[in-house]
Amino acid sequence: MPPDFDKQSYWHHRFLSETTFEWLASSETFLEVAAPFLRRLPRDAPILQLGCGTSDLHIHLRRQGFDNVTNVDFEPLAIEKGRAMEQLAFGDTRNKYLVADVLTLDLGTKFDLVLDKSTADTIACCEGPSVLAMAHRVKNHLAENGAWLSLSFSAFRFQIEDGTLPLKAEVIDKLPTPKRNPTDPDIFHFCYLLQNGTSKTTLGDQLQGRRRG
Ligand SMILES: C[S@@+](CC[C@H](N)C(=O)[O-])C[C@H]1O[C@@H](n2cnc3c(N)ncnc32)[C@H](O)[C@@H]1O
């Protein structure tokens, strides 16, 4: 049986002992993909991280000067650990930390950039049209011309059969996974850009040129 990735109890037990872990890619690698989006933002731009877990993504963002990051996770231990990580790294906390479910997220505020590293993958383990529900929640939190960058192991993560995805989704980068042997097949993780269909930002198109793989 696969682990209960969609259950808070799974993450609670995991975070009782896990201090730091990076899903799919390091924060440095993910932020390389996000660099063109971060470059056009002021340092106080509101950024939302969905399902922060025990990742150090917010630490790397703050090192780059972005300290208006809201970190959300439905497991309180992740939120405690994220806050402690910032305190340890900088001697204070400027980020926001919220225990919240991304499937019912209602923060009453908009973000220029939404980041998730494998959280949509976790949500895909829930029963029903969960990724679609998540996408609707994220759409409600996207500023005009805001962008959601989602790193996933799936080439089909946002392929919603009936075309009801409320955001325009495109793969802007493919990150090769490490190989044990040179003859192993190429396996990639996929970085999606999701935006409102009406967004005037053409960064997604510009980024096509730097796709890897
Ligand atoms: C695969 S881990 C990714 C963690 C982190 N983003 C990383 O890259 O290491 C998924 C995270 O999403 C959180 N999560 C799962 N379902 C959630 C939900 N419905 N609402 C909020 N957080 C959720 C889990 O607690 C876990 O921290």
Side-chain angles (χ1 to χ4, degrees):
M1 289 293 283
D4 290 331
F5 287 132
D6 56 328
K7 306 266 186 323
Q8 190 195 328
S9 54
Y10 168 84
W11 296 102
H12 178 76
H13 288 294
R14 196 178 158 121
F15 296 152
L16 282 173
S17 55
E18 181 177 292
T19 45
T20 173
F21 188 83
E22 297 299 334
W23 285 78
L24 304 190
S26 68
S27 296
E28 291 97 321
T29 301
F30 188 39
L31 289 183
E32 270 175 39
V33 180
F37 298 88
L38 291 167
R39 254 197 299 279
R40 65 188 170 125
L41 294 180
R43 288 299 192 262
D44 62 351
I47 296 174
L48 175 64
Q49 182 187 185
L50 300 171
C52 52
T54 56
S55 167
D56 61 6
L57 187 67
H58 60 309
I59 303 299
H60 287 268
L61 282 165
R62 185 163 166 187
R63 287 206 183 110
Q64 293 188 19
F66 296 100
D67 59 4
N68 188 8
V69 180
T70 299
N71 300 283
V72 163
D73 203 291
F74 70 172
E75 170 45 43
L77 281 177
I79 292 305
E80 271 175 39
K81 288 185 183 218
R83 191 185 281 110
M85 226 187 280
E86 189 188 4
Q87 180 69 38
L88 188 67
F90 299 100
D92 65 4
T93 52
R94 295 189 195 160
N95 281 199
K96 296 182 190 78
Y97 298 90
L98 299 172
V99 176
D101 189 328
V102 301
L103 293 173
T104 53
L105 201 65
D106 187 9
L107 303 179
T109 177
K110 305 271 186 193
F111 296 87
D112 292 317
L113 188 60
V114 177
L115 299 172
D116 98 71
K117 197 152 68 64
S118 204
T119 300
D121 291 337
T122 299
I123 294 299
C125 299
C126 302
E127 277 178 29
S130 47
V131 173
L132 187 58
M134 179 183 187
H136 277 284
R137 290 293 163 172
V138 175
K139 181 183 165 71
N140 288 346
H141 290 83
L142 273 186
E144 204 188 345
N145 294 327
W148 172 17
L149 293 182
S150 178
L151 185 63
S152 169
F153 65 79
S154 171
F156 308 103
R157 179 56 65 233
F158 295 100
Q159 234 174 58
I160 309 280
E161 294 293 320
D162 59 4
T164 51
L165 189 71
L167 296 164
K168 196 178 67 176
E170 57 188 313
V171 174
I172 56 164
D173 216 333
K174 295 193 321 188
L175 306 180
T177 61
K179 295 184 185 196
R180 285 204 188 141
N181 301 303
T183 51
D184 284 351
D186 291 332
I187 298 177
F188 296 94
H189 292 145
F190 300 85
C191 189
Y192 293 89
L193 166 65
L194 296 106
Q195 291 179 296
N196 279 303
T198 54
S199 175
K200 292 188 189 72
T201 309
T202 56
L203 257 177
D205 303 332
Q206 290 167 23
L207 285 169
Q208 300 295 326
R210 62 177 290 273
R211 274 191 194 176
R212 280 174 261 178

